[in-house]
Amino acid sequence: MKIPVIKLKRALLRPLKLTDAESITRNANNKNIAWNLTDRFPYPYKIADAKKWIKKNLSKKMDERTFAVVIDDLAVGAISITRNNEHSGVIGYWLGEKYWGRGIMTEVVRAIVQHAFKDKKIIRISANIHTDNPGSKRVIERAGFKREGVLKKHAKRFGKYKDVYVYAKVR
Ligand SMILES: CC(C)(COP(=O)(O)OP(=O)(O)OC[C@H]1O[C@@H](n2cnc3c(N)ncnc32)[C@H](O)[C@@H]1OP(=O)(O)O)[C@@H](O)C(=O)NCCC(=O)NCCS
């Protein structure tokens, strides 16, 4: 399915482009971001990582829909929904630190969830949130997700095991 352009008040969501690599790298190369994401998210984050990730996303085979979060014409974050199976997906997102705390991801997550549920086959969207990530908990709860449980020591970041909350929104 084609990734649309979604215009919001605080940001524009659109498909990634190879020319986003520089801005993505500048914003993604941040330990405060990597700390809250899986260990598949590189740190340090290099331009080659951005190019590889963007190319993978542009390949039609990938079962993941990723949108660039664009502010002032620059891709400064990303949000994706990865399909688990025919009826459910997992949401993941990050934003460059200098844009935090302005309500941007609250608006973005709500819009993407609304968009994903337009597909009538999708009845469940989940999110895995480290228990020490209050900002993301706030964002996901405001999007109507409910906490279902905790996965003890599910994640490992920078040598530390981390507990992870499972949140989901179910149709
Ligand atoms: C989590 C993240 C996406 C939030 O994006 P954002 O645009 O700053 O989010 P918003 O501004 O819409 O909302 C964040 C809310 O959390 C609150 N918050 C942030 N840090 C907090 C903290 N340490 N304690 C309590 N609340 C906190 C903010 O005050 C805000 O609430 P408010 O609007 O009521 O003031 C962003 O911080 C980020 O990219 N973090 C690193 C990667 C990450 O954690 N991704 C999610 C993985 S599940």
Side-chain angles (χ1 to χ4, degrees):
M1 215 198 298
K2 213 172 147 252
I3 292 173
V5 174
I6 302 176
K7 220 173 153 187
L8 305 172
K9 218 158 66 189
R10 296 173 179 80
L12 179 89
L13 308 179
R14 60 152 172 77
L16 285 158
K17 304 175 190 168
L18 254 187
T19 48
D20 291 330
E22 203 178 300
S23 176
I24 286 288
T25 306
R26 212 176 314 121
N27 285 280
N29 186 29
N30 180 337
K31 205 167 182 176
N32 296 332
I33 293 178
W35 172 247
N36 289 301
L37 299 175
T38 75
D39 57 8
R40 288 189 308 267
F41 191 88
Y43 182 80
Y45 195 107
K46 306 207 173 83
I47 190 95
D49 296 313
K51 284 185 179 161
K52 196 168 130 198
W53 175 69
I54 293 169
K55 278 184 192 155
K56 207 164 108 190
N57 270 286
L58 294 178
S59 88
K60 293 197 181 86
K61 278 168 265 148
M62 204 169 167
D63 211 7
E64 178 175 314
R65 289 164 67 76
T66 302
F67 293 77
V69 177
V70 177
I71 296 169
D72 296 335
D73 286 332
L74 292 171
V76 298
I79 182 161
S80 51
I81 296 195
T82 308
R83 258 335 233 266
N84 284 321
N85 50 37
E86 221 195 18
H87 70 270
S88 73
V90 186
I91 194 169
Y93 44 87
W94 64 270
L95 180 70
E97 187 167 357
K98 73 174 187 184
Y99 304 95
W100 290 4
R102 301 187 199 168
I104 293 167
M105 289 312 275
T106 293
E107 192 185 12
V108 167
V109 170
R110 279 183 175 148
I112 287 300
V113 167
Q114 201 182 30
H115 170 73
F117 274 129
K118 279 189 190 155
D119 179 345
K120 293 295 171 220
K121 287 201 292 287
I122 297 289
I123 60 154
R124 173 187 168 88
I125 300 173
S126 63
N128 286 347
I129 298 183
H130 296 181
T131 56
D132 65 346
N133 189 353
S136 188
K137 278 189 269 181
R138 193 129 173 77
V139 165
I140 212 74
E141 282 169 5
R142 279 199 289 224
F145 285 57
K146 298 279 180 275
R147 194 191 292 174
E148 296 185 329
V150 56
L151 305 173
K152 303 296 278 184
K153 297 188 181 176
H154 182 66
K156 191 178 182 192
R157 243 348 199 162
F158 305 119
K160 287 210 170 90
Y161 293 106
K162 301 184 77 187
D163 296 346
V164 172
Y165 287 131
V166 178
Y167 277 87
K169 184 162 181 163
V170 178
R171 200 202 290 279

